[in-house]
């Protein structure tokens, strides 16, 4: 069938970065075409190229992830982990978990000093912070189950980008410069990421070692990463300092297929990531609690809407701290936590009169701070499949350690465990046991790759980076679209807020309505300004195949069409 193609750019900001020849496209409308939205234009283009070659959304997901590992080294990765939520044109719904795991030699108290205090420098920086990477396993698992094109074709765009180099964006140049001291501190060898003079926009970043690693994976499959020479490079890197990942850890790593977390929201089916991500459970809790107050009656970011949403966030995040962790190691209480019976009871002490004190909705236990990097990809194809992927190194450039000989950054995901559970905090309360460190356990995540289905077909594909702000950003995107019926650009780019039970503060982006802040301050809410919250990649589809893909305006994020 010959597709009638309608592609036009509307409200579209196309930035042709000087010197770089990189087109950053923020919004594309199309019909019966596949689309990719990611944090970097070259990664979106790599995915779109695979769609043009006849690949499906899952092939494009793999190619985009590999390309991000090259052109977006701050979060794109092969040394980290992620989640993929997908739907096929046959109606299958699935959730792949390729989250990092704690190494065999890890232990509950590994980050506590002799006085029992948590040493977060060790859980956040350097070799001891690294969890066993899952991304390569996840991509091969995706390919085996759902891929159409040969894997070698999906890796090739990333190899070309690593080998020939690409022009760094202004944002990437600034980040490479501001992280230079950390790169030097945590690497005794020369890496591709430091130069004698500062990086500037348009400079070529060439990654020969990474290209070789990708070629080994192309030739030998996932064993090209988890066994043989490349596995030895990673273990040798560990031995240069206090790292504990072994050859056995790498060989034993396995992707887990989970049952998608599925729930109804106002006649739409939402599918999202279950534990070990708190993302899906939190999203279900927040949407359901907000619906008890008929959120759609109010305007977006009005005092009433903000109060309802913040109070839903407060209650959900208190449950996160108490109950959530890796379901292979703890009892999974998700179905109870998202039941109306439980949530209606939880909502009973909500009042429009004043803020609910956080102490009234959960035991005050320490809430670990999470990094806000990470990256999201939303993809649809012309065959009716959709993929929503969030992948991460955790912090910016992860642990800052680059594997010598491998040329890629390792994650610092161990910091997503509760590094000090069971120890009373300043309030005398104890918590975080569900997310304590155990060998082979996956650390709790906030990543929320999500697909909304209408009449069984993909309607919205969405997700974002942002640590603990991920679930609240996805929550806002969904209510902006479904309850407040905003246009796609405003769904994503309207000023955002975030609350997470502790600290007892509402964070707002600049331009958040001052009137709303003033009204809620009188009800005992406290506000703080935050630079940017999340970078959401979203695709909307209607039943006739018309689609609008929008990339977040907060970064270099970009849409590409097949
Ligand atoms: N490291 C970010 C997350 O897993 O949510």
């Amino acid at each position: 069938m010959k597709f009638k193609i309608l592609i036009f750019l509307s409200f579209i900001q196309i930035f042709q970065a000087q010197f770089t020849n990189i087109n950053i496209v923020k919004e594309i409308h199309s019909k019966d075409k596949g689309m990719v939205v990611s944090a970097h234009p070259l990664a979106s283009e790599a995915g779109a190229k695979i769609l043009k070659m006849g690949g499906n959304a899952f092939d494009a997901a793999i190619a985009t992830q590999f390309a991000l590992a090259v052109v977006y080294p701050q979060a794109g990765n092969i040394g980290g982990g992620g989640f993929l939520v997908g739907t096929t044109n046959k109606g299958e719904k699935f959730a792949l978990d390729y989250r990092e795991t704690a190494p065999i030699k890890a232990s509950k108290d590994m980050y506590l000093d002799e006085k029992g205090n948590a040493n977060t420098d060790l859980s956040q920086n350097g070799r001891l912070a690294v969890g066993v990477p899952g991304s390569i396993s996840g991509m091969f698992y995706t390919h085996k189950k759902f891929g159409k094109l040969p894997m070698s074709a999906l890796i090739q765009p990333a190899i070309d980008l690593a080998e020939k180099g690409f022009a760094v964006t202004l944002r990437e140049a600034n980040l490479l410069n501001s992280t230079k001291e950390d790169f030097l501190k945590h690497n005794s060898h020369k890496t591709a990421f430091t130069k004698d003079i500062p990086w500037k926009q348009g400079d070529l970043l060439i990654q020969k070692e990474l290209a070789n690693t990708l070629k080994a994976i192309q030739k030998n499959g996932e064993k090209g990463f988890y066994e043989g020479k490349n596995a030895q490079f990673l273990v040798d890197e560990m031995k240069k300092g206090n790292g504990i990942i072994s050859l056995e850890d790498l060989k034993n790593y396995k992707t887990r297929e989970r049952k998608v977390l599925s729930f109804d929201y106002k006649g739409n089916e939402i599918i999202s990531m279950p534990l070990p991500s708190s993302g899906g459970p939190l999203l279900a809790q927040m949407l359901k609690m907000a619906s008890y107050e008929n959120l759609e009656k109010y305007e977006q970011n009005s005092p009433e809407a903000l109060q309802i949403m913040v109070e839903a966030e407060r209650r959900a995040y208190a449950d996160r701290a108490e109950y959530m962790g890796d379901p292979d190691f703890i009892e999974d209480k998700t179905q109870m936590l998202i039941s109306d019976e439980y949530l209606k009871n939880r909502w009973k002490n909500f009042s429009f009169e004043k803020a609910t004190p956080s102490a009234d909705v959960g035991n005050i236990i320490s809430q670990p701070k999470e990094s806000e990097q990470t990256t999201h990809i939303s993809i649809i194809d012309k065959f009716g499949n959709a993929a929503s992927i969030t992948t991460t190194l955790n912090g910016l450039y992860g642990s800052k350690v680059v594997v010598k000989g491998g040329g890629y950054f390792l994650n610092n995901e161990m910091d997503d465990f509760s590094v000090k559970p069971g120890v009373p905090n300043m309030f005398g309360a104890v918590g975080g046991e569900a997310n304590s460190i155990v060998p082979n356990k996956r650390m709790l995540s906030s990543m929320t790759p999500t697909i909304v289905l209408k009449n069984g077909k993909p309607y919205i594909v969405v997700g974002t980076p942002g640590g603990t702000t991920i679930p609240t950003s996805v929550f806002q995107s969904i209510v902006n679209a479904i309850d407040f019926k905003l246009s796609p650009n405003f769904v994503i780019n309207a000023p955002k807020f975030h609350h997470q039970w502790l600290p007892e503060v509402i964070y707002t982006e600049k331009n958040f309505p001052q009137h709303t802040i003033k009204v809620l301050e009188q009800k005992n809410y406290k506000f703080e300004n935050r630079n940017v919250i999340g970078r959401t990649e979203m695709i909307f589809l209607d039943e006739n195949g018309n689609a609008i893909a929008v990339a977040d305006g907060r970064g270099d994020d970009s849409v590409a069409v097949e």
Side-chain angles (χ1 to χ4, degrees), residues 34-38 43-44 47-48 51 60 64 377-379 539 558-561:
M35 289 201 274
V36 180
V37 198
S38 84
S44 300
L51 294 173
T64 310
I377 310 162
S378 290
I379 305 185
I539 303 177
S558 189
V559 183
V561 68

Side-chain angles (χ1 to χ4, degrees), residues 45-83:
E45 276 170 24
K49 184 174 166 192
I50 294 300
L51 294 173
K52 271 190 201 118
M53 286 164 63
N56 63 21
F58 311 111
D59 292 322
I62 295 164
T64 310
Q65 283 173 93
F66 271 115
L68 279 172
V70 180
V71 298
Y72 195 66
Q74 57 185 276
N77 68 84
I78 59 170
F83 301 126

